[in-house]
Amino acid sequence: MRVATDIGGTFTDLVYLDETGKIGVAKSDTTPPHFEQGVLDVLNKSGIESAAIDTFIHGTTVIINALTERKGVKTGLITTKGFRDVLEIARGNRPDLFNVRYEKPTPFIPRYLRLEVEERINYKGEVLTPLDTNQVRAAVEQLRAEGVDAIAIAFLHAYADASHERQAIEIVKEVWPEVAVTASYEVTKEWREYERTSTAVLNSYVKPIAASYIDKLERQLVELGVAGNKYIMQSNAGTTTFAQSKETPINMVESGPVAGIFGAAMLGKLIGEENIIAFDIGGTTAKCSLINHGEVKVTTDYKIEHDDRNAGYPIKVPVVDIVEIGNGGGSIAWIDDAGSLKVGPQSAGAMPGPVAYGRGGENPTTTDANLVTGRLSPKNFQSQVDMEAVRSAIQQKVAEYFDISVEDAALGIIRIANSNMLNALKLISVRKGYDPRDFALVAFGGGGPMHAMALARELGVKKVIIPIASAVFSAWGMLMTDLRHDYIQTYIRRVNSLDFTELNNRWDELEEQAQTQYAAEGIEQDKIVFTRYADMRYLGQEHAVKVPVPGGVLNAETLAEVVNSFHGLHEQHYTFKLEGAPTEIVNLHLTAFGTVQKPEVAKLANVGDNAASALKETRAVLFEGAGWLDTRVYEREALNAGTVIAGPAIIEEVSSSAVIYPGQTVTVDPYGNLIVQTGV
């Protein structure tokens, strides 16, 4: 049995897949700050036998929470002489050009804990000044005296030659073996001094937190009798071992959200849909990503706390290209100073949660609005819902201000939430040169099926897919993952003067590095699969485009194909191409998958349209532009493969409800997925 658990802002999800292909799910409350307790709770709630777990995969928000809440450890930095202020200087590009009160992000490490040592390597990897080991020892002793718990090491041009950083690491471990330490080459071998230093610093900042959490989780799993392989979900849509995740925890920064994106890609392959927009609405956030020709897009230009007012903090590790906004089921509706209705980013979270949860929440949320409009049923909640309290909250906080009915106020909350989500979907499609009409929308999370059909109509998307186990689909996605490591090496060369022997040797070195790492993790060589990319640009440009590169030995002919692909991708991204202009390679990017055996997903046993017998009730539901309509409500678990349902309709499951609009049609596919034809 393969088991996956995913910690979200509101709930901790579990999905299991046994050797017959049977899927089972469970949900329990997230338990901050002791998140591992939520994992144990959901394991107990699922009722599965611990001894039957062959593979355990875990997605966690512990790292992103530690960063955004500033709950990491006191950290020091050792860097090249003259570069202690690189974190302070950062980048000159301001996200909000007209904000005269703009302030640069405050570094995670204050200046007095950023120490310099004599050393210098140039961009070619040539040593100009040897490392002064005595200064390194003195710096370590000074940081120890200051009471730091972790040390980051980032030397100039270490991406070209990491020998000085390796020496410094050895000295730190010799002088102070107990301290957590990260050298920049351990997390990224990509150029850009500020981003590389920031990544090393943030990894050190959360390293003791990650180690403590993973050790506690592993210990409790062992006590529970889970003896199988244990993996952690990474931000690159692959997994890694518990041991490796403690060394480079920064790779887990988007551990949970990306699993759903990868799951959408795998679902697409299963049902023959290569072009997908993955859309995940949880209790706190909505997340989306675009999958083109079955490929999950990965970027190293990721930042935390980045928005239109804040520059954020760069993390130069591979992360699935994802847009995330503060809109979910628990997002609070409020009136701003200008008198406009807003939804999110503030969230009621797990505690107290929406008013409907009856845990003391007083602010109306998207979930409460969906209850008032009939899209959610009070009978589908785990606890008794006080509808008078729900209506009263919307009445007092929204309806009275605008002098409208509670129902109109609730519908307004839903429409504004949808508008926020629509903007996010446009960011990953239209704004990047993709036509949403060429894609199917895979909607999951507790709120995805509720909002997706309205958003599809706005975008012109013809098909929406509500996957089986949609409310816990991120955890389902983890079940489909392989081990994955990305090896990115800055390699700046003009294409017209490439040394093919040197280039092929570099690819071989990256592959040998991957094989060595997988051997240490117990993965056989015949289970390793490589995929290559090159970051390329026109000569004189600042940023690059990621281009697929064929395997095997590269020559002039295959390179010409790569350059031709680059021109096409550049035009797609930026609306123009410069054929004949000189091009150059910036980075080599090798993705190495350690494939693991996964059971096939079982098809539904029952086939044949049974909509009539799966009908639960008929109730009034408020739709935009149509008003209150008598709407048939179906039990999803009772639906057979081949069942066809015409909207308006609602299809309910334990933790989610799919809202089908008039003119839309749902078909249950052989695996139990809901395929919605939107009628646009």
Side-chain angles (χ1 to χ4, degrees):
M1 179 181 291
R2 286 170 66 86
V3 173
T5 57
D6 175 37
I7 297 177
T10 307
F11 296 108
T12 296
D13 303 333
L14 178 145
V15 177
Y16 68 80
L17 188 64
D18 66 21
E19 58 190 5
T20 68
K22 177 190 173 185
I23 292 174
V25 304
K27 235 182 197 321
S28 69
D29 290 336
T30 293
T31 54
H34 305 292
F35 293 98
E36 67 279 359
Q37 185 57 48
V39 177
L40 298 179
D41 290 346
V42 78
L43 276 168
N44 290 327
K45 194 172 181 180
S46 71
I48 60 180
E49 294 183 20
S50 301
I53 300 175
D54 175 62
T55 302
F56 176 87
I57 307 166
H58 182 54
T60 177
T61 54
V62 166
I63 301 306
I64 190 67
N65 289 345
L67 291 171
T68 56
E69 296 170 13
R70 300 299 189 273
K71 290 184 178 176
V73 301
K74 188 175 182 180
T75 306
L77 172 66
I78 300 174
T79 189
T80 305
K81 185 176 181 181
F83 287 85
R84 71 188 292 193
D85 293 323
V86 71
L87 293 178
E88 206 93 48
I89 297 167
R91 293 287 172 193
N93 47 332
R94 285 165 47 175
D96 186 1
L97 289 174
F98 302 104
N99 182 359
V100 295
R101 295 187 178 91
Y102 172 76
E103 293 181 9
K104 281 194 171 183
T106 303
F108 274 72
I109 300 179
R111 195 170 195 269
Y112 79 96
L113 293 177
R114 305 196 299 259
L115 308 181
E116 300 176 347
V117 297
E118 292 272 4
E119 74 84 35
R120 195 59 175 261
I121 292 174
N122 69 12
Y123 72 98
K124 297 178 183 178
E126 299 166 344
V127 176
L128 303 181
T129 304
L131 176 66
D132 190 323
T133 56
N134 290 329
Q135 289 185 14
V136 176
R137 293 175 189 276
V140 175
E141 291 294 357
Q142 184 176 339
L143 291 173
R144 174 153 45 183
E146 292 288 357
V148 305
D149 297 301
I151 295 174
I153 298 169
F155 292 153
L156 195 64
H157 300 304
Y159 61 86
D161 181 359
S163 58
H164 284 182
E165 286 195 349
R166 288 194 178 92
Q167 280 181 265
I169 282 271
E170 290 171 7
I171 292 168
V172 172
K173 291 180 177 177
E174 175 194 330
V175 175
W176 191 8
E178 300 83 14
V179 75
V181 60
T182 303
S184 73
Y185 82 89
E186 294 177 307
V187 287
T188 176
K189 291 182 179 177
E190 200 172 339
W191 71 339
R192 302 196 184 280
E193 198 64 24
Y194 166 54
E195 288 80 356
R196 193 163 50 83
T197 304
S198 174
T199 307
V201 164
L202 295 181
N203 191 76
S204 282
Y205 181 74
V206 297
K207 197 170 182 178
I209 305 297
S212 173
Y213 171 74
I214 293 166
D215 284 342
K216 281 191 288 187
L217 177 61
E218 186 167 27
R219 185 168 58 251
Q220 292 181 348
L221 288 172
V222 170
E223 289 174 1
L224 206 61
V226 179
N229 296 317
K230 302 174 187 68
Y231 301 117
I232 292 274
M233 190 72 197
Q234 299 183 109
S235 306
N236 62 5
T239 55
T240 191
T241 61
F242 272 32
Q244 180 60 42
S245 65
K246 290 190 288 186
E247 293 301 313
T248 53
I250 202 66
N251 284 307
M252 297 190 292
V253 68
E254 288 286 1
S255 172
V258 301
I261 309 303
F262 181 79
M266 293 300 100
L267 178 64
K269 289 182 179 178
L270 185 69
I271 63 176
E273 291 285 348
E274 280 199 319
N275 290 350
I276 281 173
I277 296 173
F279 185 48
D280 175 9
I281 305 178
T284 308
T285 59
K287 298 163 280 284
C288 53
S289 185
L290 185 136
I291 299 156
N292 189 37
H293 297 304
E295 183 183 344
V296 176
K297 296 187 176 299
V298 171
T299 178
T300 56
D301 292 327
Y302 174 82
K303 296 182 179 73
I304 60 167
E305 300 179 15
H306 173 76
D307 56 32
D308 58 356
R309 296 290 180 93
N310 301 288
Y313 300 85
I315 299 177
K316 209 144 190 69
V317 297
V319 178
V320 169
D321 193 4
I322 190 169
V323 170
E324 186 169 351
I325 61 169
N327 259 242
S331 292
I332 293 170
W334 55 286
I335 311 293
D336 70 6
D337 293 340
S340 297
L341 178 61
K342 303 285 185 181
V343 180
Q346 304 94 328
S347 174
M351 290 297 292
V355 178
Y357 286 7
R359 297 174 180 167
E362 297 178 350
N363 295 308
T365 66
T366 310
T367 293
D368 298 313
N370 278 307
L371 267 166
V372 169
T373 55
R375 297 163 186 235
L376 286 176
S377 167
K379 293 178 284 188
N380 212 29
F381 282 67
Q382 292 180 348
S383 56
Q384 185 74 27
V385 176
D386 184 348
M387 283 302 297
E388 281 306 310
V390 171
R391 293 178 62 86
S392 176
I394 295 176
Q395 172 71 28
Q396 294 175 19
K397 298 293 177 72
V398 180
E400 285 181 1
Y401 184 87
F402 294 104
D403 193 23
I404 57 177
S405 69
V406 171
E407 291 77 11
D408 285 343
L411 193 60
I413 292 170
I414 293 168
R415 291 176 67 182
I416 288 171
N418 283 346
S419 176
N420 294 338
M421 295 169 190
L422 185 67
N423 287 335
L425 290 168
K426 287 180 178 177
L427 282 175
I428 54 102
S429 57
V430 178
R431 298 281 284 276
K432 293 193 175 181
Y434 296 98
D435 187 340
R437 293 172 295 185
D438 297 333
F439 291 77
L441 184 66
V442 175
F444 51 97
M450 206 147 25
H451 296 266
M453 273 55 81
L455 295 168
R457 294 198 310 177
E458 294 283 344
L459 280 172
V461 171
K462 298 178 179 65
K463 182 185 292 186
V464 178
I465 301 163
I466 312 297
I468 192 165
S470 61
V472 292
F473 188 69
S474 285
W476 184 90
M478 293 179 202
L479 296 178
M480 302 295 114
T481 58
D482 293 307
L483 290 164
R484 171 171 173 161
H485 296 303
D486 286 85
Y487 306 87
I488 302 174
Q489 176 69 62
T490 292
Y491 181 79
I492 303 172
R493 301 289 190 277
R494 295 191 184 185
V495 169
N496 59 9
S497 58
L498 268 176
D499 180 335
F500 284 101
T501 301
E502 181 192 56
L503 176 62
N504 286 305
N505 285 341
R506 287 297 181 96
W507 283 118
D508 290 343
E509 288 169 10
L510 292 176
E511 292 184 3
E512 287 169 13
Q513 187 181 344
Q515 288 169 343
T516 300
Q517 183 165 355
Y518 274 128
E521 295 175 357
I523 301 295
E524 298 170 7
Q525 191 164 336
D526 62 350
K527 301 291 185 185
I528 303 172
V529 177
F530 296 122
T531 305
R532 294 175 176 179
Y533 303 92
D535 293 329
M536 298 181 67
R537 65 186 183 183
Y538 293 117
L539 196 63
Q541 282 187 319
E542 171 67 4
H543 292 288
V545 174
K546 195 171 291 293
V547 184
V549 175
V553 177
L554 292 179
N555 53 37
E557 185 178 339
T558 51
L559 190 67
E561 295 174 8
V562 172
V563 171
N564 190 51
S565 296
F566 163 70
H567 290 309
L569 288 167
H570 192 281
E571 183 177 28
Q572 182 181 349
H573 282 77
Y574 302 110
T575 73
F576 74 94
K577 58 183 176 180
L578 303 173
E579 289 181 337
T583 57
E584 64 181 356
I585 295 172
V586 178
N587 299 309
L588 305 180
H589 181 175
L590 177 74
T591 299
F593 295 95
T595 58
V596 293
Q597 184 66 34
K598 296 175 283 290
E600 290 187 11
V601 179
K603 294 183 177 181
L604 293 183
N606 298 321
V607 180
D609 194 328
N610 70 329
S613 62
L615 183 66
K616 290 175 68 175
E617 63 177 351
T618 299
R619 68 170 182 259
V621 177
L622 182 58
F623 288 92
E624 305 96 298
W628 289 94
L629 299 176
D630 287 336
T631 303
R632 295 180 300 278
V633 181
Y634 297 89
E635 180 69 48
R636 180 169 184 178
E637 290 186 1
L639 295 173
N640 291 350
T643 297
V644 179
I645 296 170
I650 287 178
I651 302 174
E652 292 184 343
E653 51 189 304
V654 175
S655 301
S656 184
S657 293
V659 179
I660 315 301
Y661 280 68
Q664 298 179 341
T665 306
V666 185
T667 304
V668 182
D669 81 352
Y671 298 97
N673 303 301
L674 305 180
I675 311 298
V676 184
Q677 303 294 335
T678 63
V680 296

